[in-house]
Amino acid sequence: GIIHAMGLSPEAIYRFEKRAPAFLDSIRPRLKIELVDSEFADIDRGRKYAEELRDWNAAFSHFYTVMIGDERPYVERTDAAIWASQMLINMSRLRDAKQMLEMASNAFDPKISGNDSLSFRARVNEKHAWISDYRVKPKEELRYFETAESYALGIPEEARDEDIKKLLSTIEHFRGRAHFVLAWSGEDKEINLREALKSFERDLGNYMRVREAGKPDPQGEGFNHIWIARCYIYGGNFDLTDEEIGKGLTSFKEEIERNPLKRDLLAHYHLVRAEYFIMLGNPKLAIIESERALAIRLEKKPNFPKGQIEALAIMALASWQDRNLGYAFVCGRRALQIVKNLRS
């Protein structure tokens, strides 16, 4: 059809962009752990580094120090282990994250019980699912999410804290991502793309109810709008794409007004626009958008190689479509330089 007439299949675009994390993980040097003073280490301080200051290395140091603190309650140490694993996932250290989750499960699970145990098991399986998402293993990802959801739903509704409520929302969103990957791996495309769209729309509905309750999370809303747009793009439903991308941008801008350090969110907006222009057969605009995404990630998230390589991948594909093989080669070399820097 029209997509393949452009010379690029959606499968090629998506796979090329999304294989970066697993590849980066395979060539990483050993993790160097820097502890902070045990009296200074604190989960709330780590969360501030992670969520507000966007400094995953500093956040990890706090979480890891709390996790290994023998004098601390096991519930606190399990919470720290989950957060530490997420920081490793953010940094594309997937093997380290998986090993940490397994170690924490063996060490802490026998020490807790009741709802604390159900919560911990739900969160461990959710993080395993994140790792499967980064490794582009959608069926494995769905199995982990199914297990995580069963543990989370085992907690009485009145006893579910904000972390569990957010986890259930995350499961819905990433379930959509898994179905999206299945669709473009050639497995029941229409069915999986439809299931992906349903998941993103359900999760967006959850966020809208939270907004109505006076606790808006525009970042979460924005990601769902972007992924809904991506479903429209690869499903060829271009009439609805512009509006959905625009809603994503509006949500991200609202989040950035609350926390200017989150300006890196705009990279997601520019990347989905780049994918859209590739599918429309306008590679020159796709190159411009992916260059904008890369510039934002280099400035705002220099320690996020996955994001930089994703932008370079889309840039290379657009250049290839534009028959600008020289620039495609340059993009490839820049990506390889990032890999080389990781090895040093």
Side-chain angles (χ1 to χ4, degrees):
I2 184 171
I3 292 172
H4 291 278
M6 297 176 189
L8 287 172
S9 70
E11 293 94 332
I13 296 170
Y14 191 76
R15 287 175 183 168
F16 191 43
E17 177 187 355
K18 297 302 177 186
R19 291 292 179 186
F23 175 66
L24 290 176
D25 186 51
S26 70
I27 54 88
R28 284 279 198 179
R30 288 181 60 85
L31 175 66
K32 296 178 181 178
I33 298 174
E34 295 183 7
L35 301 179
V36 298
D37 187 283
S38 60
E39 294 184 2
F40 182 69
D42 180 76
I43 288 180
D44 287 339
R45 191 171 286 116
R47 291 184 68 158
K48 182 173 182 178
Y49 275 113
E51 298 176 329
E52 297 180 24
L53 302 177
R54 317 289 272 175
D55 187 338
W56 295 328
N57 285 296
F60 175 80
S61 293
H62 278 272
F63 296 138
Y64 188 82
T65 303
V66 172
M67 186 190 76
I68 64 173
D70 291 335
E71 76 286 356
R72 296 176 185 261
Y74 279 107
V75 170
E76 183 181 9
R77 295 173 70 185
T78 59
D79 191 28
I82 295 298
W83 276 99
S85 69
Q86 183 62 60
M87 297 305 99
L88 293 172
I89 292 168
N90 290 352
M91 293 185 284
S92 297
R93 291 190 172 276
L94 308 182
R95 287 179 298 176
D96 291 325
K98 201 164 188 70
Q99 289 171 3
M100 177 163 291
L101 290 169
E102 292 168 353
M103 178 188 70
S105 293
N106 292 333
F108 301 146
D109 198 26
K111 305 293 185 180
I112 54 179
S113 60
N115 291 337
D116 289 335
S117 178
L118 290 172
S119 175
F120 178 58
R121 293 177 184 181
R123 295 170 74 193
V124 164
N125 277 278
E126 183 239 5
K127 297 311 174 193
H128 277 301
W130 273 69
I131 293 169
S132 299
D133 177 82
Y134 271 48
R135 288 176 169 169
V136 198
K137 295 182 177 181
K139 291 184 179 180
E140 180 181 87
E141 177 183 359
L142 287 170
R143 287 194 295 271
Y144 276 124
F145 276 135
E146 183 179 353
T147 303
E149 188 175 51
S150 68
Y151 282 126
L153 294 177
I155 302 172
E157 189 168 354
E158 65 275 10
R160 295 173 193 166
D161 60 17
E162 287 304 313
D163 284 334
I164 288 297
K165 291 176 183 177
K166 190 170 183 178
L167 177 144
L168 289 169
S169 175
T170 299
I171 289 173
E172 191 68 77
H173 177 82
F174 275 84
R175 183 183 284 132
R177 286 172 54 153
H179 280 294
F180 184 91
V181 174
L182 284 171
W184 293 119
S185 66
E187 186 166 331
D188 296 324
K189 286 187 179 182
E190 292 185 6
I191 293 173
N192 276 303
L193 197 58
R194 186 163 59 247
E195 288 301 313
L197 187 58
K198 287 180 182 177
S199 287
F200 297 133
E201 288 175 339
R202 281 195 295 265
D203 193 39
L204 179 59
N206 293 334
Y207 279 105
M208 299 315 294
R209 283 188 285 275
V210 170
R211 176 178 286 276
E212 290 169 3
K215 298 180 180 179
D217 184 344
Q219 176 175 313
E221 294 171 21
F223 277 123
N224 279 300
H225 282 303
I226 291 299
W227 277 93
I228 289 170
R230 192 167 271 124
C231 288
Y232 289 153
I233 291 168
Y234 291 117
N237 193 350
F238 299 143
D239 291 341
L240 299 173
T241 301
D242 280 321
E243 180 181 359
E244 209 61 42
I245 292 177
K247 289 178 180 178
L249 176 61
T250 299
S251 296
F252 286 155
K253 284 184 174 179
E254 181 182 349
E255 183 69 33
I256 293 165
E257 286 180 7
R258 296 164 55 166
N259 183 357
L261 292 176
K262 290 189 176 182
R263 187 172 173 271
D264 58 276
L265 289 172
L266 293 178
H268 296 280
Y269 161 76
H270 290 297
L271 271 186
V272 78
R273 276 175 59 84
E275 293 175 50
Y276 184 32
F277 286 129
I278 286 176
M279 301 301 280
L280 290 175
N282 194 333
K284 287 182 169 57
L285 286 179
I287 292 169
I288 291 171
E289 292 293 340
S290 51
E291 285 177 336
R292 288 171 176 167
L294 179 63
I296 291 169
R297 285 179 168 168
L298 287 171
E299 177 189 357
K300 299 298 180 181
K301 295 178 84 172
N303 295 320
F304 187 44
K306 168 184 175 289
Q308 295 166 26
I309 290 180
E310 283 177 348
L312 286 165
I314 292 295
M315 203 182 305
L317 285 165
S319 301
W320 189 272
Q321 186 187 36
D322 196 36
R323 303 295 186 264
N324 188 345
L325 304 187
Y327 196 50
F329 179 74
V330 168
C331 294
R333 289 197 63 174
R334 291 177 71 183
L336 288 173
Q337 185 60 49
I338 293 173
V339 172
K340 183 178 179 181
N341 291 343
L342 285 172
R343 282 177 164 164
S344 60

